[in-house]
């Protein structure tokens, strides 16, 4: 079979899997109804262990681990759907809903998911997302609000946003949006930020007159910018500024961005680690429409 035929076969299998998945999730409501009538809890650990052992025994040995991982994830999603149905019937409070979610969510933080990030490839949000998720399916948006709306509309399961920096302080725009959207923070990451001055190949520091970057990055590199008498212009995102410099016809501009942006956009690292403080960290948060408490959770965030 050539690649086109193989892909067509895979597409057919994926369609079958999708239809079976939808059928399985739809029946979760009927399972919840039966459990309510019988007075049973959503989570039945003995039944789940027995089911997983049976499935693992029926799978080829080379796929045993993957079979367990797949069906454990399916069971977790089914339990979450059952709990959602029960919660809607009860009309429970936010506090009760949080407790119910913690009880229903017994699987680790997902390794892969659809994730919304602000900027383009090479942005610090993308770097954070790849540390938070093993294999995220990332969709990029120009603004923080675009990330929020992607999660709100169900286009993405999660969003990754910067919330505060050890040097420049809070990212106020994100705080304002958290107040506007009824979302939940389900995980966070403290990421070391090392800013670099990126230029077109052959550009010397003496040639640079204007530097582009996100306002937070500019604030974090204020000392370097001032000492070299550079004009700083705010741009929506660090990686977007690198992309803009690469496509610009000018040779007197530079971008402050991550080192990975140099490779991505054909730029050179003219100066590395130009942030004012070596202890420069940004905390990124993962937002979700639904409260989810994963094993090992040890932080509570309150909006007051």
């Amino acid at each position: 079979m050539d690649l086109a035929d193989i892909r067509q076969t895979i597409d057919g299998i994926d369609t079958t899997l999708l239809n079976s998945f939808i059928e399985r999730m739809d029946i979760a409501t009927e399972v919840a109804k039966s459990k309510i009538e019988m007075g049973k809890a959503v989570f039945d650990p003995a039944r789940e262990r027995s089911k997983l052992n049976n499935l693992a025994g029926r799978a080829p040995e080379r796929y045993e681990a993957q079979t367990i991982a797949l069906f454990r994830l399916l069971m977790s999603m089914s339990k979450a759907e059952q709990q959602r149905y029960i919660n809607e019937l009860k009309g429970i409070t936010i506090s009760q809903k949080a407790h119910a979610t913690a009880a229903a969510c017994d699987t680790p933080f997902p390794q892969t998911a659809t994730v919304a990030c602000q900027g383009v490839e090479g942005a610090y949000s993308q770097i954070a997302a790849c540390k938070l998720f093993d294999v995220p399916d990332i969709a990029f948006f120009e603004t923080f609000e675009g990330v929020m709306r992607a999660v709100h509309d169900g286009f993405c399961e999660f969003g990754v946003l910067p919330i505060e920096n050890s040097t420049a302080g809070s990212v106020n725009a994100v705080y304002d949006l958290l107040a506007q959207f009824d979302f939940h923070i389900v995980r966070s990451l403290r990421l070391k930020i090392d800013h670099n001055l990126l230029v077109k190949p052959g550009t010397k520091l003496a040639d640079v007159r204007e530097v582009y970057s996100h306002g937070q990055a500019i604030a974090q590199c204020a000392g370097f910018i001032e000492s070299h008498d550079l004009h700083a212009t705010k741009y929506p995102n660090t990686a977007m500024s690198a992309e803009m410099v690469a496509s610009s016809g000018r040779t007197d501009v530079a971008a402050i961005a991550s080192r990975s942006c140099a490779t991505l956009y054909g730029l050179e690292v003219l100066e590395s680690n130009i942030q004012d403080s070596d202890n420069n960290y940004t905390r990124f948060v993962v937002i979700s429409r639904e409260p989810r408490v994963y094993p090992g959770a040890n932080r509570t965030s309150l909006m007051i």
Side-chain angles (χ1 to χ4, degrees), residues 206-226:
D207 301 330
V208 180
R209 294 287 180 267
E210 188 170 13
V211 62
Y212 289 83
S213 197
H214 188 270
Q216 282 270 331
I218 290 172
Q220 293 161 29
C221 303
F224 179 88
I225 293 170
E226 184 177 353

Side-chain angles (χ1 to χ4, degrees), residues 68-290:
I68 293 172
L70 172 63
F71 280 93
R72 181 172 282 154
L73 176 61
L74 287 171
M75 290 175 182
S76 178
M77 289 188 287
S78 177
K79 285 181 290 185
E81 183 65 17
Q82 293 173 47
Q83 194 65 58
R84 183 196 62 77
Y85 173 77
I86 293 170
N87 291 346
E88 287 181 353
L89 285 181
K90 292 180 178 179
I92 63 174
T93 65
I94 293 176
S95 175
Q96 291 170 325
K97 185 177 182 181
H99 281 290
T101 304
C105 190
D106 63 328
T107 57
F109 192 76
Q111 294 180 325
T112 183
T114 53
V115 181
C117 290
Q118 189 254 352
V120 292
E121 196 73 29
Y124 289 107
S125 291
Q126 175 257 311
I127 295 171
C130 290
K131 289 182 177 294
L132 287 157
F133 303 87
D134 285 348
V135 190
D137 181 9
I138 299 176
F140 290 103
F141 298 87
E142 188 170 335
T143 64
F144 293 142
E145 184 173 356
V147 172
M148 292 284 193
R149 294 205 176 277
V151 177
H152 178 271
D153 296 339
F155 181 77
C156 292
E157 190 176 3
F158 299 101
V160 172
L161 293 164
I163 197 167
E164 62 187 10
N165 176 264
S166 56
T167 301
S170 300
V171 184
N172 292 325
V174 173
Y175 275 101
D176 291 342
L177 287 166
L178 285 173
Q180 179 182 342
F181 289 83
D182 186 21
F183 289 154
H184 303 271
I185 294 173
V186 297
R187 200 177 190 190
S188 65
L189 170 74
R190 190 167 176 261
L191 181 68
K192 179 73 163 62
I193 302 295
D194 293 319
H195 290 304
N196 304 272
L197 190 71
L198 307 184
V199 297
K200 287 185 173 181
T203 302
K204 304 291 190 295
L205 185 57
D207 301 330
V208 180
R209 294 287 180 267
E210 188 170 13
V211 62
Y212 289 83
S213 197
H214 188 270
Q216 282 270 331
I218 290 172
Q220 293 161 29
C221 303
F224 179 88
I225 293 170
E226 184 177 353
S227 65
H228 291 85
D229 195 26
L230 301 175
H231 175 71
T233 300
K234 292 182 180 180
Y235 216 68
N237 179 266
T238 55
M240 291 170 70
S241 69
E243 186 180 46
M244 184 277 295
V245 167
S247 62
S248 171
R250 296 170 58 185
T251 57
D252 63 340
V253 293
I256 296 175
S258 67
R259 179 174 289 270
S260 62
C261 285
T263 303
L264 284 168
Y265 301 111
L267 299 174
E268 289 184 349
V269 177
L270 189 59
E271 297 283 342
S272 60
N273 299 328
I274 64 172
Q275 64 274 4
D276 295 341
S277 171
D278 287 335
N279 189 36
N280 187 35
Y281 289 85
T282 295
R283 187 159 73 95
F284 290 85
V285 294
V286 181
I287 57 168
S288 169
R289 285 193 300 177
E290 297 297 327

Side-chain angles (χ1 to χ4, degrees), residues 4-24:
D5 292 334
I6 293 170
R7 285 176 171 171
Q8 187 174 2
T9 300
I10 290 174
D11 289 345
I13 295 171
D14 288 346
T15 299
T16 301
L17 287 172
L18 177 61
N19 291 335
S20 296
F21 169 73
I22 294 170
E23 184 179 1
R24 195 185 198 286

